[in-house]
Amino acid sequence: MTSTPTVRPDGALAPPVAAPSSGAAPAARRGSRWIDDYDPEDPAFWASPQGRPVARRNLAWSVLAENIGFSVWQMFSIATAVLASIGYGFTSDQLFWLVATAGLVGAIMRVPYTFMPALVGGRNWTVVSAALLLIPVTLLTVAATTDRPYWFWVLTAITCGVGGGNFASSMANISFFYPDKEKGFALGLNAAGGNIGVAIIQLVGPLAVTAGAIAVVGGGTGATEGGEARYVQNVALIWVPFIVLAAVGAWFFMDNLTGAKANVADQAAIARRKQTWVMSFLYIGAFGSFIGFSGAFPLVLANEFAADTYRYAFLGPLVGSLSRPFGGWLADRVGGAKVTVVTFVGQALAIGSAILFLRAESFGGFLASFLVLFAIVGMTNGSTYRMIPIIYRAEAAASFPDEAPAQVLYRARRDTAAAVGIISAVGALGAVFIPRTVSESYGATGGVETALLSFCGFYIACVAVTWSVYLRRGTLMQRAGV
């Protein structure tokens, strides 16, 4: 059985204390869905029916709940594009603010959500967080079917943010179920499964708004210039049965682990570390680009080209989600920083290509450039996420050279878990920065090119930071092979 270091009152790590051996014996439970004795690092336990099968079952339901959370979080990416296409009455700036508001709240919610599985149980929180998604779904249905003022739409966007927090709690929960040797793949699958939720809402949403049969509540929100009715409430209504399925499934098939512990002090301490903020900056260019462009892309297409071109927006987050695991796989083989510096160069080049096709008024070229951008951004997501544990392992080894390897590894895991909550929350602020930058560009110039040029400059800055901190010869991180 793997031993676990403990922390003495003075803050130092005490020698590891062996936990009782689990072997292949059934996991002890407290209550109906609590597991008291769960050690995935023990090969015998992991191979038993209480090991890998339990982890896979919890992962499956976690992916479902997280996937729906992403879809609900990004409902306004489609709702706003539809409102623009029917001339609902909101200005372009107001529509971009709705997208940005949902993004901001989702980013903020990631911090408290990180702790919830350890505080109340992963299964319990998955049930609660899934059920909470019914709030924004209900409010958007009301807003789209009744004459509500703009502030009510903003309130609805705020509640959509609860879907953004689901990623943090899901990742934190699943990390406790898998051994280190399989954790990377499990978390990558969990993340990709959630990210695809953005593509799903942008694929299904435009189809749903044309289907009057789904609009069991209210009538059409408006009509296109051709007189076709649009049912914006359907963007929300289609998720009701799946939300119920996720909540009920989590209640009956997921588990809580008593061994999962939250430490707010660790989270606060990690915020004072330089590497936490360097990686947070880079993660804005990675995940922030994915979620920010996902939110803004439908409106950009509708503004720059034909009103119904937002229907193709789903292709971006789809390829970005599918390419994420490849970025992590490549980082495992050649190094996360090396992959990251190349992908940031690729992101800048893809933006440059999009600008050229925008000037040529080529929808096909512009769309293709953004699909390449999304694919590269997905790879950057995977490579940057892979860098985080190596960074904190290198810092732990350098700061405590006399400690036993087990204690150093424990410090690294603890610091990584704390840092991920902050890094993922800051990175998600791209869901605010990108829509607002695009909106300001439209307000100042009437087009999106100025915003695209600023994004290109930001990616060049990311290249410089990645090289300077992680690849420059002689630095600790370069020697550690980050």
Side-chain angles (χ1 to χ4, degrees), residues 216-296:
V216 294
V217 178
T221 308
T224 64
E225 291 184 0
E228 298 177 358
R230 292 293 182 262
Y231 305 89
V232 176
Q233 69 268 33
N234 289 357
V235 175
L237 290 174
I238 55 177
W239 300 113
V240 173
F242 298 101
I243 292 172
V244 173
L245 173 63
V248 173
W251 178 266
F252 285 106
F253 300 110
M254 290 188 70
D255 302 286
N256 302 307
L257 299 180
T258 58
K261 302 296 181 183
N263 192 322
V264 179
D266 286 344
Q267 188 88 17
I270 209 70
R272 296 192 291 269
R273 304 267 282 275
K274 169 188 172 182
Q275 294 299 332
T276 301
W277 297 105
V278 173
M279 285 306 301
S280 294
F281 175 80
L282 297 181
Y283 207 55
I284 292 175
F287 179 76
S289 293
F290 172 82
I291 199 65
F293 283 127
S294 293

Side-chain angles (χ1 to χ4, degrees), residues 94-166:
Q94 287 177 314
L95 294 175
F96 275 112
W97 263 120
L98 292 177
V99 176
T101 299
L104 175 61
V105 177
I108 294 173
M109 294 302 289
R110 287 188 167 201
V111 176
Y113 269 51
T114 299
F115 293 108
M116 297 312 295
L119 293 175
V120 303
R123 169 257 195 177
N124 293 348
W125 184 247
T126 303
V127 173
V128 172
S129 61
L132 286 173
L133 299 176
L134 290 171
I135 296 175
V137 164
T138 301
L139 291 181
L140 182 55
T141 300
V142 172
T145 55
T146 58
D147 186 17
R148 297 290 172 171
Y150 181 69
W151 68 261
F152 189 87
W153 288 84
V154 173
L155 175 64
T156 304
I158 290 173
T159 63
C160 284
V162 299
N166 281 15

Side-chain angles (χ1 to χ4, degrees), residues 31 37 50 77 112 117 156 226 321 325 327 336 343 375 434 470 473 479:
D37 188 8
Q50 288 73 38
S77 69
T156 304
S321 300
T343 54
I434 289 180
Y470 301 112
R473 189 176 300 277
R479 293 194 302 270

Side-chain angles (χ1 to χ4, degrees), residues 108-453:
I108 294 173
M109 294 302 289
R110 287 188 167 201
V111 176
Y113 269 51
T114 299
F115 293 108
M116 297 312 295
L119 293 175
V120 303
R123 169 257 195 177
N124 293 348
W125 184 247
T126 303
V127 173
V128 172
S129 61
L132 286 173
L133 299 176
L134 290 171
I135 296 175
V137 164
T138 301
L139 291 181
L140 182 55
T141 300
V142 172
T145 55
T146 58
D147 186 17
R148 297 290 172 171
Y150 181 69
W151 68 261
F152 189 87
W153 288 84
V154 173
L155 175 64
T156 304
I158 290 173
T159 63
C160 284
V162 299
N166 281 15
F167 172 86
S169 58
S170 179
M171 295 290 277
N173 182 46
I174 292 304
S175 69
F176 292 116
F177 280 93
Y178 280 83
D180 281 349
K181 66 179 181 179
E182 297 187 32
K183 192 171 294 185
F185 176 78
L187 292 179
L189 184 62
N190 194 52
N195 290 172
I196 289 177
V198 182
I200 292 175
I201 182 63
Q202 294 186 353
L203 170 63
V204 178
L207 300 176
V209 297
T210 65
I214 301 177
V216 294
V217 178
T221 308
T224 64
E225 291 184 0
E228 298 177 358
R230 292 293 182 262
Y231 305 89
V232 176
Q233 69 268 33
N234 289 357
V235 175
L237 290 174
I238 55 177
W239 300 113
V240 173
F242 298 101
I243 292 172
V244 173
L245 173 63
V248 173
W251 178 266
F252 285 106
F253 300 110
M254 290 188 70
D255 302 286
N256 302 307
L257 299 180
T258 58
K261 302 296 181 183
N263 192 322
V264 179
D266 286 344
Q267 188 88 17
I270 209 70
R272 296 192 291 269
R273 304 267 282 275
K274 169 188 172 182
Q275 294 299 332
T276 301
W277 297 105
V278 173
M279 285 306 301
S280 294
F281 175 80
L282 297 181
Y283 207 55
I284 292 175
F287 179 76
S289 293
F290 172 82
I291 199 65
F293 283 127
S294 293
F297 196 39
L299 266 175
V300 170
L301 291 179
N303 286 340
E304 296 293 335
F305 303 99
D308 63 348
T309 53
Y310 69 85
R311 297 171 180 268
Y312 299 97
F314 79 94
L315 293 170
L318 176 62
V319 298
S321 300
L322 295 177
S323 66
R324 178 171 182 153
F326 179 70
W329 175 85
L330 198 59
D332 284 338
R333 283 149 182 79
V334 302
K338 292 178 181 178
V339 174
T340 299
V341 77
V342 172
T343 54
F344 275 134
V345 170
Q347 289 177 213
L349 293 175
I351 286 287
S353 174
I355 292 174
L356 294 178
F357 282 114
L358 181 66
R359 291 173 178 175
E361 299 182 356
S362 170
F363 169 70
F366 185 80
L367 177 63
S369 296
F370 256 87
L371 293 185
V372 171
L373 173 64
F374 269 104
I376 299 174
V377 164
M379 293 177 61
T380 312
N381 275 336
S383 63
T384 51
Y385 214 86
R386 184 67 186 89
M387 291 167 64
I388 298 173
I390 301 176
I391 288 170
Y392 289 101
R393 190 182 309 157
E395 284 201 332
S399 300
F400 303 93
D402 298 328
E403 284 191 343
Q407 293 176 325
V408 171
L409 184 59
Y410 171 73
R411 284 187 183 276
R413 290 173 179 168
R414 181 195 63 188
D415 292 346
T416 297
V420 163
I422 296 176
I423 293 170
S424 68
V426 175
L429 290 175
V432 185
F433 297 152
I434 289 180
R436 289 311 308 158
T437 302
V438 170
S439 180
E440 292 299 325
S441 178
Y442 275 116
T445 68
V448 73
E449 182 174 329
T450 300
L452 296 179
L453 287 170

